[in-house]
Amino acid sequence: MTLFRDMMIWTVQALLFCIAIGIAGPTAHLAGPLLATAFAVDQLIPTVLVFFAAAAALGWLGNRLLPGDWLHNPLL
């Protein structure tokens, strides 16, 4: 059951990431260089990749180093 929950969380995160990148890229392309400069889309994509990689690594370490039975919140 925990494996299924973890897979669903990662699936939702990946889906939201793809939606965000899918909106940011065409918006920057269609709205022109002004909007791309304002939001710095060319710098946003690597930043988001590094952020999610760091968040995933910290989450994995937290799951391995902290005991899992002290926290009973099913949303976490």
Short mmCIF file of all heavy atoms in Angstrom, two decimals:
data_model
loop_
_atom_site.label_atom_id
_atom_site.label_comp_id
_atom_site.label_asym_id
_atom_site.label_seq_id
_atom_site.Cartn_x
_atom_site.Cartn_y
_atom_site.Cartn_z
N MET A 1 0.82 -1.19 0.00
CA MET A 1 0.00 0.00 0.00
C MET A 1 0.87 1.26 0.00
O MET A 1 0.56 2.23 -0.66
CB MET A 1 -0.91 -0.04 1.23
CG MET A 1 -1.95 1.03 1.21
SD MET A 1 -3.11 0.71 -0.12
CE MET A 1 -4.30 1.93 0.21
N THR A 2 1.97 1.22 0.75
CA THR A 2 2.86 2.37 0.80
C THR A 2 3.52 2.58 -0.55
O THR A 2 3.69 3.72 -0.99
CB THR A 2 3.94 2.16 1.89
OG1 THR A 2 3.28 1.95 3.13
CG2 THR A 2 4.82 3.37 2.00
N LEU A 3 3.89 1.50 -1.22
CA LEU A 3 4.50 1.61 -2.54
C LEU A 3 3.53 2.26 -3.51
O LEU A 3 3.92 3.15 -4.30
CB LEU A 3 4.93 0.24 -3.04
CG LEU A 3 5.54 0.22 -4.45
CD1 LEU A 3 6.82 1.02 -4.47
CD2 LEU A 3 5.79 -1.21 -4.88
N PHE A 4 2.28 1.87 -3.47
CA PHE A 4 1.28 2.46 -4.36
C PHE A 4 1.10 3.96 -4.06
O PHE A 4 1.02 4.77 -4.98
CB PHE A 4 -0.06 1.74 -4.21
CG PHE A 4 -1.14 2.30 -5.09
CD1 PHE A 4 -1.08 2.13 -6.45
CD2 PHE A 4 -2.20 3.00 -4.54
CE1 PHE A 4 -2.07 2.66 -7.27
CE2 PHE A 4 -3.18 3.53 -5.33
CZ PHE A 4 -3.12 3.36 -6.71
N ARG A 5 1.08 4.33 -2.78
CA ARG A 5 0.95 5.74 -2.40
C ARG A 5 2.15 6.54 -2.90
O ARG A 5 1.99 7.62 -3.45
CB ARG A 5 0.82 5.86 -0.89
CG ARG A 5 0.60 7.31 -0.44
CD ARG A 5 0.56 7.43 1.04
NE ARG A 5 1.89 7.14 1.56
CZ ARG A 5 2.20 7.08 2.83
NH1 ARG A 5 1.26 7.22 3.73
NH2 ARG A 5 3.43 6.84 3.23
N ASP A 6 3.34 5.99 -2.72
CA ASP A 6 4.54 6.68 -3.20
C ASP A 6 4.53 6.83 -4.71
O ASP A 6 4.90 7.88 -5.24
CB ASP A 6 5.79 5.92 -2.77
CG ASP A 6 6.02 6.00 -1.27
OD1 ASP A 6 5.42 6.89 -0.64
OD2 ASP A 6 6.79 5.17 -0.75
N MET A 7 4.09 5.79 -5.41
CA MET A 7 4.02 5.87 -6.87
C MET A 7 3.00 6.92 -7.31
O MET A 7 3.24 7.66 -8.28
CB MET A 7 3.68 4.49 -7.46
CG MET A 7 4.83 3.53 -7.38
SD MET A 7 4.53 1.84 -7.94
CE MET A 7 3.10 1.91 -8.95
N MET A 8 1.90 7.02 -6.62
CA MET A 8 0.90 8.02 -6.97
C MET A 8 1.42 9.43 -6.70
O MET A 8 1.18 10.34 -7.49
CB MET A 8 -0.40 7.77 -6.19
CG MET A 8 -1.16 6.56 -6.66
SD MET A 8 -1.52 6.55 -8.43
CE MET A 8 -2.51 8.00 -8.58
N ILE A 9 2.12 9.63 -5.60
CA ILE A 9 2.68 10.95 -5.30
C ILE A 9 3.67 11.35 -6.38
O ILE A 9 3.64 12.48 -6.88
CB ILE A 9 3.34 10.94 -3.90
CG1 ILE A 9 2.26 10.85 -2.82
CG2 ILE A 9 4.20 12.18 -3.69
CD1 ILE A 9 2.80 10.63 -1.43
N TRP A 10 4.57 10.45 -6.75
CA TRP A 10 5.55 10.76 -7.79
C TRP A 10 4.87 11.00 -9.14
O TRP A 10 5.30 11.86 -9.91
CB TRP A 10 6.57 9.63 -7.90
CG TRP A 10 7.60 9.73 -6.84
CD1 TRP A 10 7.61 9.07 -5.64
CD2 TRP A 10 8.76 10.55 -6.84
NE1 TRP A 10 8.70 9.44 -4.90
CE2 TRP A 10 9.43 10.34 -5.62
CE3 TRP A 10 9.31 11.44 -7.76
CZ2 TRP A 10 10.62 11.00 -5.30
CZ3 TRP A 10 10.48 12.09 -7.44
CH2 TRP A 10 11.12 11.87 -6.22
N THR A 11 3.82 10.25 -9.42
CA THR A 11 3.10 10.43 -10.68
C THR A 11 2.44 11.81 -10.72
O THR A 11 2.52 12.51 -11.75
CB THR A 11 2.03 9.33 -10.85
OG1 THR A 11 2.68 8.05 -10.79
CG2 THR A 11 1.31 9.47 -12.16
N VAL A 12 1.81 12.21 -9.64
CA VAL A 12 1.18 13.53 -9.59
C VAL A 12 2.23 14.63 -9.71
O VAL A 12 2.05 15.61 -10.43
CB VAL A 12 0.34 13.68 -8.31
CG1 VAL A 12 -0.10 15.11 -8.11
CG2 VAL A 12 -0.86 12.76 -8.37
N GLN A 13 3.37 14.48 -9.03
CA GLN A 13 4.43 15.47 -9.13
C GLN A 13 4.97 15.57 -10.55
O GLN A 13 5.20 16.66 -11.06
CB GLN A 13 5.56 15.14 -8.16
CG GLN A 13 5.22 15.42 -6.73
CD GLN A 13 6.36 15.08 -5.79
OE1 GLN A 13 7.31 14.40 -6.15
NE2 GLN A 13 6.27 15.55 -4.56
N ALA A 14 5.18 14.43 -11.19
CA ALA A 14 5.68 14.44 -12.56
C ALA A 14 4.66 15.06 -13.51
O ALA A 14 5.03 15.82 -14.42
CB ALA A 14 6.02 13.01 -13.00
N LEU A 15 3.39 14.76 -13.29
CA LEU A 15 2.34 15.33 -14.13
C LEU A 15 2.28 16.86 -13.98
O LEU A 15 2.21 17.59 -14.97
CB LEU A 15 0.99 14.71 -13.79
CG LEU A 15 -0.22 15.21 -14.56
CD1 LEU A 15 -0.08 14.83 -16.03
CD2 LEU A 15 -1.48 14.64 -13.98
N LEU A 16 2.32 17.34 -12.74
CA LEU A 16 2.30 18.79 -12.52
C LEU A 16 3.54 19.46 -13.10
O LEU A 16 3.47 20.55 -13.65
CB LEU A 16 2.18 19.09 -11.03
CG LEU A 16 0.84 18.74 -10.40
CD1 LEU A 16 0.90 18.96 -8.89
CD2 LEU A 16 -0.28 19.53 -11.02
N PHE A 17 4.69 18.81 -12.99
CA PHE A 17 5.92 19.34 -13.57
C PHE A 17 5.79 19.45 -15.09
O PHE A 17 6.13 20.47 -15.68
CB PHE A 17 7.10 18.45 -13.19
CG PHE A 17 8.38 18.84 -13.86
CD1 PHE A 17 9.08 19.94 -13.42
CD2 PHE A 17 8.88 18.10 -14.92
CE1 PHE A 17 10.26 20.31 -14.03
CE2 PHE A 17 10.05 18.46 -15.53
CZ PHE A 17 10.75 19.56 -15.09
N CYS A 18 5.28 18.39 -15.73
CA CYS A 18 5.12 18.41 -17.18
C CYS A 18 4.12 19.48 -17.62
O CYS A 18 4.33 20.14 -18.64
CB CYS A 18 4.68 17.04 -17.68
SG CYS A 18 5.97 15.80 -17.53
N ILE A 19 3.05 19.65 -16.87
CA ILE A 19 2.07 20.68 -17.20
C ILE A 19 2.72 22.06 -17.09
O ILE A 19 2.54 22.92 -17.97
CB ILE A 19 0.84 20.57 -16.28
CG1 ILE A 19 0.03 19.32 -16.64
CG2 ILE A 19 -0.03 21.82 -16.39
CD1 ILE A 19 -1.09 19.01 -15.66
N ALA A 20 3.48 22.29 -16.02
CA ALA A 20 4.12 23.59 -15.82
C ALA A 20 5.12 23.89 -16.93
O ALA A 20 5.13 25.00 -17.49
CB ALA A 20 4.81 23.63 -14.47
N ILE A 21 5.94 22.93 -17.28
CA ILE A 21 6.92 23.15 -18.36
C ILE A 21 6.20 23.26 -19.69
O ILE A 21 6.58 24.07 -20.55
CB ILE A 21 7.95 22.00 -18.37
CG1 ILE A 21 8.77 22.04 -17.09
CG2 ILE A 21 8.86 22.09 -19.59
CD1 ILE A 21 9.54 23.32 -16.87
N GLY A 22 5.15 22.48 -19.88
CA GLY A 22 4.39 22.54 -21.13
C GLY A 22 3.69 23.88 -21.32
O GLY A 22 3.45 24.30 -22.44
N ILE A 23 3.34 24.55 -20.24
CA ILE A 23 2.72 25.88 -20.35
C ILE A 23 3.79 26.95 -20.47
O ILE A 23 3.65 27.89 -21.26
CB ILE A 23 1.81 26.13 -19.13
CG1 ILE A 23 0.58 25.23 -19.21
CG2 ILE A 23 1.40 27.60 -19.07
CD1 ILE A 23 -0.29 25.27 -17.98
N ALA A 24 4.86 26.82 -19.71
CA ALA A 24 5.91 27.85 -19.70
C ALA A 24 6.61 27.96 -21.05
O ALA A 24 6.87 29.07 -21.53
CB ALA A 24 6.92 27.56 -18.60
N GLY A 25 6.92 26.83 -21.66
CA GLY A 25 7.64 26.85 -22.94
C GLY A 25 6.86 27.52 -24.06
O GLY A 25 7.34 28.49 -24.68
N PRO A 26 5.65 27.04 -24.38
CA PRO A 26 4.88 27.68 -25.45
C PRO A 26 4.50 29.13 -25.14
O PRO A 26 4.45 29.96 -26.05
CB PRO A 26 3.62 26.81 -25.56
CG PRO A 26 4.04 25.49 -25.06
CD PRO A 26 5.04 25.76 -23.99
N THR A 27 4.26 29.44 -23.88
CA THR A 27 3.95 30.83 -23.53
C THR A 27 5.13 31.73 -23.85
O THR A 27 4.96 32.81 -24.43
CB THR A 27 3.59 30.95 -22.04
OG1 THR A 27 2.45 30.14 -21.78
CG2 THR A 27 3.30 32.38 -21.65
N ALA A 28 6.32 31.29 -23.50
CA ALA A 28 7.51 32.08 -23.81
C ALA A 28 7.72 32.17 -25.31
O ALA A 28 8.13 33.21 -25.83
CB ALA A 28 8.73 31.46 -23.14
N HIS A 29 7.42 31.11 -26.03
CA HIS A 29 7.60 31.11 -27.48
C HIS A 29 6.57 32.01 -28.16
O HIS A 29 6.91 32.77 -29.07
CB HIS A 29 7.50 29.69 -28.02
CG HIS A 29 7.63 29.60 -29.50
ND1 HIS A 29 8.82 29.81 -30.15
CD2 HIS A 29 6.71 29.34 -30.46
CE1 HIS A 29 8.62 29.69 -31.45
NE2 HIS A 29 7.35 29.39 -31.66
N LEU A 30 5.33 31.93 -27.74
CA LEU A 30 4.26 32.67 -28.41
C LEU A 30 4.20 34.14 -27.97
O LEU A 30 3.85 35.00 -28.76
CB LEU A 30 2.91 32.00 -28.14
CG LEU A 30 2.76 30.60 -28.74
CD1 LEU A 30 1.45 29.98 -28.28
CD2 LEU A 30 2.85 30.63 -30.24
N ALA A 31 4.50 34.42 -26.73
CA ALA A 31 4.39 35.79 -26.24
C ALA A 31 5.62 36.62 -26.56
O ALA A 31 5.61 37.82 -26.34
CB ALA A 31 4.15 35.78 -24.74
N GLY A 32 6.65 35.99 -27.03
CA GLY A 32 7.82 36.75 -27.46
C GLY A 32 8.90 36.87 -26.42
O GLY A 32 8.75 36.43 -25.28
N PRO A 33 9.98 37.49 -26.82
CA PRO A 33 11.13 37.60 -25.92
C PRO A 33 10.88 38.45 -24.67
O PRO A 33 11.52 38.25 -23.65
CB PRO A 33 12.20 38.26 -26.77
CG PRO A 33 11.66 38.39 -28.13
CD PRO A 33 10.22 38.03 -28.11
N LEU A 34 9.93 39.36 -24.75
CA LEU A 34 9.65 40.21 -23.58
C LEU A 34 9.16 39.38 -22.41
O LEU A 34 9.65 39.51 -21.28
CB LEU A 34 8.63 41.29 -23.94
CG LEU A 34 8.25 42.24 -22.81
CD1 LEU A 34 9.48 43.02 -22.37
CD2 LEU A 34 7.16 43.17 -23.27
N LEU A 35 8.18 38.50 -22.67
CA LEU A 35 7.65 37.66 -21.60
C LEU A 35 8.69 36.64 -21.13
O LEU A 35 8.80 36.36 -19.94
CB LEU A 35 6.38 36.95 -22.06
CG LEU A 35 5.59 36.22 -21.01
CD1 LEU A 35 5.16 37.17 -19.91
CD2 LEU A 35 4.39 35.56 -21.63
N ALA A 36 9.46 36.10 -22.08
CA ALA A 36 10.49 35.14 -21.70
C ALA A 36 11.56 35.80 -20.84
O ALA A 36 12.08 35.19 -19.91
CB ALA A 36 11.13 34.55 -22.95
N THR A 37 11.87 37.06 -21.13
CA THR A 37 12.85 37.78 -20.32
C THR A 37 12.28 38.10 -18.94
O THR A 37 12.98 37.99 -17.93
CB THR A 37 13.28 39.08 -21.03
OG1 THR A 37 13.79 38.75 -22.31
CG2 THR A 37 14.33 39.80 -20.24
N ALA A 38 11.02 38.47 -18.89
CA ALA A 38 10.41 38.83 -17.61
C ALA A 38 10.36 37.64 -16.66
O ALA A 38 10.60 37.78 -15.46
CB ALA A 38 9.00 39.37 -17.85
N PHE A 39 10.05 36.46 -17.18
CA PHE A 39 9.96 35.28 -16.32
C PHE A 39 11.24 34.45 -16.32
O PHE A 39 11.34 33.47 -15.59
CB PHE A 39 8.79 34.39 -16.75
CG PHE A 39 7.45 34.97 -16.39
CD1 PHE A 39 6.62 35.47 -17.37
CD2 PHE A 39 7.05 35.02 -15.07
CE1 PHE A 39 5.39 36.01 -17.04
CE2 PHE A 39 5.82 35.56 -14.74
CZ PHE A 39 4.99 36.06 -15.72
N ALA A 40 12.21 34.80 -17.15
CA ALA A 40 13.50 34.09 -17.25
C ALA A 40 13.27 32.59 -17.45
O ALA A 40 13.80 31.76 -16.69
CB ALA A 40 14.37 34.37 -16.05
N VAL A 41 12.49 32.23 -18.47
CA VAL A 41 12.15 30.83 -18.71
C VAL A 41 13.39 30.01 -19.02
O VAL A 41 13.49 28.84 -18.63
CB VAL A 41 11.12 30.73 -19.85
CG1 VAL A 41 10.85 29.30 -20.23
CG2 VAL A 41 9.83 31.40 -19.43
N ASP A 42 14.36 30.62 -19.70
CA ASP A 42 15.57 29.87 -20.02
C ASP A 42 16.35 29.47 -18.77
O ASP A 42 17.06 28.47 -18.76
CB ASP A 42 16.46 30.67 -20.97
CG ASP A 42 16.84 32.03 -20.40
OD1 ASP A 42 16.08 32.55 -19.57
OD2 ASP A 42 17.88 32.57 -20.82
N GLN A 43 16.19 30.22 -17.69
CA GLN A 43 16.84 29.87 -16.43
C GLN A 43 15.90 29.09 -15.52
O GLN A 43 16.34 28.44 -14.58
CB GLN A 43 17.30 31.13 -15.71
CG GLN A 43 18.35 31.89 -16.47
CD GLN A 43 18.68 33.23 -15.82
OE1 GLN A 43 18.14 33.55 -14.77
NE2 GLN A 43 19.55 33.99 -16.45
N LEU A 44 14.61 29.16 -15.79
CA LEU A 44 13.63 28.50 -14.93
C LEU A 44 13.71 26.98 -15.04
O LEU A 44 13.64 26.28 -14.03
CB LEU A 44 12.22 28.98 -15.29
CG LEU A 44 11.07 28.36 -14.51
CD1 LEU A 44 11.16 28.80 -13.06
CD2 LEU A 44 9.75 28.77 -15.12
N ILE A 45 13.86 26.47 -16.25
CA ILE A 45 13.83 25.01 -16.44
C ILE A 45 14.98 24.32 -15.71
O ILE A 45 14.73 23.38 -14.95
CB ILE A 45 13.79 24.67 -17.94
CG1 ILE A 45 12.46 25.15 -18.53
CG2 ILE A 45 13.97 23.18 -18.17
CD1 ILE A 45 12.35 25.03 -20.03
N PRO A 46 16.24 24.76 -15.85
CA PRO A 46 17.29 24.10 -15.06
C PRO A 46 17.10 24.28 -13.56
O PRO A 46 17.40 23.37 -12.78
CB PRO A 46 18.58 24.77 -15.53
CG PRO A 46 18.25 25.42 -16.81
CD PRO A 46 16.80 25.72 -16.78
N THR A 47 16.59 25.43 -13.16
CA THR A 47 16.36 25.67 -11.73
C THR A 47 15.31 24.71 -11.19
O THR A 47 15.47 24.15 -10.10
CB THR A 47 15.91 27.13 -11.51
OG1 THR A 47 16.91 28.00 -12.03
CG2 THR A 47 15.70 27.42 -10.04
N VAL A 48 14.25 24.52 -11.94
CA VAL A 48 13.19 23.59 -11.51
C VAL A 48 13.72 22.16 -11.45
O VAL A 48 13.40 21.42 -10.52
CB VAL A 48 11.97 23.71 -12.45
CG1 VAL A 48 11.00 22.58 -12.24
CG2 VAL A 48 11.28 25.04 -12.25
N LEU A 49 14.52 21.78 -12.42
CA LEU A 49 15.09 20.43 -12.41
C LEU A 49 15.98 20.22 -11.18
O LEU A 49 15.90 19.18 -10.51
CB LEU A 49 15.89 20.18 -13.69
CG LEU A 49 15.07 20.06 -14.96
CD1 LEU A 49 15.99 19.93 -16.17
CD2 LEU A 49 14.14 18.87 -14.89
N VAL A 50 16.81 21.20 -10.87
CA VAL A 50 17.67 21.09 -9.68
C VAL A 50 16.83 21.07 -8.41
O VAL A 50 17.09 20.29 -7.50
CB VAL A 50 18.70 22.24 -9.66
CG1 VAL A 50 19.42 22.31 -8.33
CG2 VAL A 50 19.68 22.08 -10.80
N PHE A 51 15.79 21.91 -8.35
CA PHE A 51 14.93 21.95 -7.17
C PHE A 51 14.26 20.60 -6.93
O PHE A 51 14.26 20.08 -5.81
CB PHE A 51 13.88 23.04 -7.32
CG PHE A 51 12.86 23.04 -6.23
CD1 PHE A 51 13.16 23.53 -4.98
CD2 PHE A 51 11.60 22.50 -6.45
CE1 PHE A 51 12.22 23.51 -3.96
CE2 PHE A 51 10.65 22.47 -5.45
CZ PHE A 51 10.96 22.98 -4.20
N PHE A 52 13.67 20.02 -7.98
CA PHE A 52 12.97 18.74 -7.80
C PHE A 52 13.96 17.62 -7.48
O PHE A 52 13.63 16.71 -6.72
CB PHE A 52 12.13 18.40 -9.02
CG PHE A 52 10.77 19.02 -8.98
CD1 PHE A 52 10.45 20.06 -9.82
CD2 PHE A 52 9.81 18.57 -8.10
CE1 PHE A 52 9.20 20.65 -9.78
CE2 PHE A 52 8.56 19.14 -8.04
CZ PHE A 52 8.25 20.18 -8.89
N ALA A 53 15.15 17.67 -8.06
CA ALA A 53 16.16 16.65 -7.74
C ALA A 53 16.58 16.75 -6.27
O ALA A 53 16.70 15.74 -5.58
CB ALA A 53 17.37 16.79 -8.66
N ALA A 54 16.78 17.98 -5.80
CA ALA A 54 17.16 18.17 -4.39
C ALA A 54 16.01 17.77 -3.47
O ALA A 54 16.24 17.13 -2.43
CB ALA A 54 17.56 19.62 -4.15
N ALA A 55 14.79 18.14 -3.82
CA ALA A 55 13.64 17.76 -2.99
C ALA A 55 13.47 16.25 -2.95
O ALA A 55 13.16 15.68 -1.89
CB ALA A 55 12.37 18.43 -3.53
N ALA A 56 13.67 15.58 -4.07
CA ALA A 56 13.56 14.12 -4.10
C ALA A 56 14.65 13.48 -3.26
O ALA A 56 14.39 12.52 -2.52
CB ALA A 56 13.65 13.63 -5.55
N ALA A 57 15.87 14.00 -3.34
CA ALA A 57 16.96 13.44 -2.55
C ALA A 57 16.72 13.64 -1.06
O ALA A 57 16.93 12.72 -0.26
CB ALA A 57 18.28 14.09 -2.97
N LEU A 58 16.26 14.83 -0.68
CA LEU A 58 15.97 15.07 0.74
C LEU A 58 14.81 14.21 1.23
O LEU A 58 14.83 13.70 2.36
CB LEU A 58 15.66 16.55 0.97
CG LEU A 58 16.85 17.50 0.87
CD1 LEU A 58 16.38 18.94 0.96
CD2 LEU A 58 17.87 17.19 1.94
N GLY A 59 13.80 14.03 0.41
CA GLY A 59 12.69 13.17 0.78
C GLY A 59 13.12 11.72 0.94
O GLY A 59 12.70 11.02 1.87
N TRP A 60 13.98 11.26 0.03
CA TRP A 60 14.47 9.89 0.13
C TRP A 60 15.31 9.70 1.38
O TRP A 60 15.15 8.72 2.10
CB TRP A 60 15.29 9.55 -1.12
CG TRP A 60 15.77 8.14 -1.12
CD1 TRP A 60 15.07 7.04 -1.47
CD2 TRP A 60 17.07 7.70 -0.73
NE1 TRP A 60 15.85 5.92 -1.32
CE2 TRP A 60 17.08 6.29 -0.87
CE3 TRP A 60 18.21 8.33 -0.27
CZ2 TRP A 60 18.21 5.55 -0.58
CZ3 TRP A 60 19.33 7.57 0.02
CH2 TRP A 60 19.31 6.19 -0.14
N LEU A 61 16.19 10.67 1.66
CA LEU A 61 17.01 10.58 2.87
C LEU A 61 16.14 10.62 4.13
O LEU A 61 16.39 9.89 5.09
CB LEU A 61 18.02 11.72 2.91
CG LEU A 61 19.25 11.55 2.04
CD1 LEU A 61 20.08 12.83 2.04
CD2 LEU A 61 20.07 10.37 2.47
N GLY A 62 15.13 11.49 4.12
CA GLY A 62 14.24 11.57 5.27
C GLY A 62 13.50 10.27 5.50
O GLY A 62 13.32 9.84 6.65
N ASN A 63 13.08 9.62 4.44
CA ASN A 63 12.38 8.33 4.59
C ASN A 63 13.31 7.25 5.11
O ASN A 63 12.88 6.33 5.80
CB ASN A 63 11.79 7.89 3.25
CG ASN A 63 10.52 8.62 2.93
OD1 ASN A 63 9.86 9.13 3.82
ND2 ASN A 63 10.17 8.70 1.67
N ARG A 64 14.59 7.34 4.77
CA ARG A 64 15.55 6.31 5.20
C ARG A 64 16.07 6.55 6.61
O ARG A 64 16.37 5.60 7.33
CB ARG A 64 16.73 6.24 4.23
CG ARG A 64 16.35 5.84 2.83
CD ARG A 64 15.87 4.39 2.80
NE ARG A 64 15.30 4.08 1.51
CZ ARG A 64 14.03 3.78 1.31
NH1 ARG A 64 13.20 3.77 2.31
NH2 ARG A 64 13.57 3.49 0.12
N LEU A 65 16.21 7.81 7.01
CA LEU A 65 16.86 8.10 8.28
C LEU A 65 15.89 8.32 9.43
O LEU A 65 16.27 8.16 10.59
CB LEU A 65 17.76 9.34 8.13
CG LEU A 65 18.90 9.18 7.11
CD1 LEU A 65 19.67 10.48 6.99
CD2 LEU A 65 19.83 8.04 7.50
N LEU A 66 14.67 8.73 9.15
CA LEU A 66 13.71 8.99 10.21
C LEU A 66 12.77 7.80 10.37
O LEU A 66 12.37 7.18 9.39
CB LEU A 66 12.88 10.24 9.89
CG LEU A 66 13.67 11.55 9.83
CD1 LEU A 66 12.75 12.66 9.36
CD2 LEU A 66 14.27 11.88 11.16
N PRO A 67 12.40 7.48 11.59
CA PRO A 67 11.44 6.38 11.77
C PRO A 67 10.07 6.77 11.20
O PRO A 67 9.64 7.91 11.33
CB PRO A 67 11.38 6.20 13.28
CG PRO A 67 11.87 7.49 13.84
CD PRO A 67 12.82 8.06 12.85
N GLY A 68 9.43 5.82 10.56
CA GLY A 68 8.19 6.13 9.87
C GLY A 68 6.94 6.01 10.71
O GLY A 68 5.87 6.45 10.28
N ASP A 69 7.01 5.43 11.88
CA ASP A 69 5.79 5.20 12.64
C ASP A 69 5.45 6.33 13.61
O ASP A 69 4.43 6.27 14.28
CB ASP A 69 5.87 3.88 13.40
CG ASP A 69 7.07 3.82 14.32
OD1 ASP A 69 7.93 4.71 14.22
OD2 ASP A 69 7.14 2.87 15.12
N TRP A 70 6.26 7.37 13.72
CA TRP A 70 5.95 8.46 14.64
C TRP A 70 5.01 9.49 14.01
O TRP A 70 4.42 10.28 14.70
CB TRP A 70 7.21 9.16 15.12
CG TRP A 70 7.94 9.89 14.05
CD1 TRP A 70 8.86 9.38 13.20
CD2 TRP A 70 7.82 11.27 13.71
NE1 TRP A 70 9.31 10.34 12.34
CE2 TRP A 70 8.68 11.52 12.62
CE3 TRP A 70 7.04 12.32 14.19
CZ2 TRP A 70 8.80 12.77 12.04
CZ3 TRP A 70 7.18 13.56 13.59
CH2 TRP A 70 8.04 13.77 12.54
N LEU A 71 4.85 9.45 12.72
CA LEU A 71 4.02 10.42 12.03
C LEU A 71 2.86 9.68 11.37
O LEU A 71 3.06 8.81 10.57
CB LEU A 71 4.86 11.15 10.97
CG LEU A 71 4.22 12.30 10.24
CD1 LEU A 71 3.85 13.41 11.22
CD2 LEU A 71 5.18 12.85 9.21
N HIS A 72 1.65 10.04 11.74
CA HIS A 72 0.49 9.30 11.27
C HIS A 72 -0.39 10.15 10.36
O HIS A 72 -1.60 9.99 10.36
CB HIS A 72 -0.32 8.78 12.45
CG HIS A 72 0.45 7.85 13.30
ND1 HIS A 72 0.79 6.57 12.91
CD2 HIS A 72 0.99 8.00 14.54
CE1 HIS A 72 1.48 5.97 13.86
NE2 HIS A 72 1.61 6.83 14.86
N ASN A 73 0.19 11.04 9.60
CA ASN A 73 -0.58 11.86 8.69
C ASN A 73 -0.55 11.18 7.31
O ASN A 73 0.50 11.11 6.68
CB ASN A 73 0.01 13.27 8.62
CG ASN A 73 -0.84 14.21 7.80
OD1 ASN A 73 -1.78 13.78 7.13
ND2 ASN A 73 -0.53 15.48 7.84
N PRO A 74 -1.69 10.71 6.80
CA PRO A 74 -1.68 10.00 5.52
C PRO A 74 -1.40 10.91 4.32
O PRO A 74 -1.11 10.42 3.24
CB PRO A 74 -3.09 9.40 5.43
CG PRO A 74 -3.91 10.27 6.31
CD PRO A 74 -3.01 10.73 7.40
N LEU A 75 -1.46 12.21 4.53
CA LEU A 75 -1.21 13.13 3.41
C LEU A 75 0.27 13.41 3.20
O LEU A 75 0.64 13.98 2.20
CB LEU A 75 -1.96 14.45 3.64
CG LEU A 75 -3.48 14.34 3.71
CD1 LEU A 75 -4.09 15.69 4.04
CD2 LEU A 75 -4.03 13.78 2.43
N LEU A 76 1.11 13.01 4.14
CA LEU A 76 2.54 13.29 4.01
C LEU A 76 3.29 12.11 3.46
O LEU A 76 3.41 11.10 3.81
CB LEU A 76 3.13 13.73 5.34
CG LEU A 76 2.61 15.05 5.86
CD1 LEU A 76 3.21 15.36 7.21
CD2 LEU A 76 2.94 16.17 4.89
#
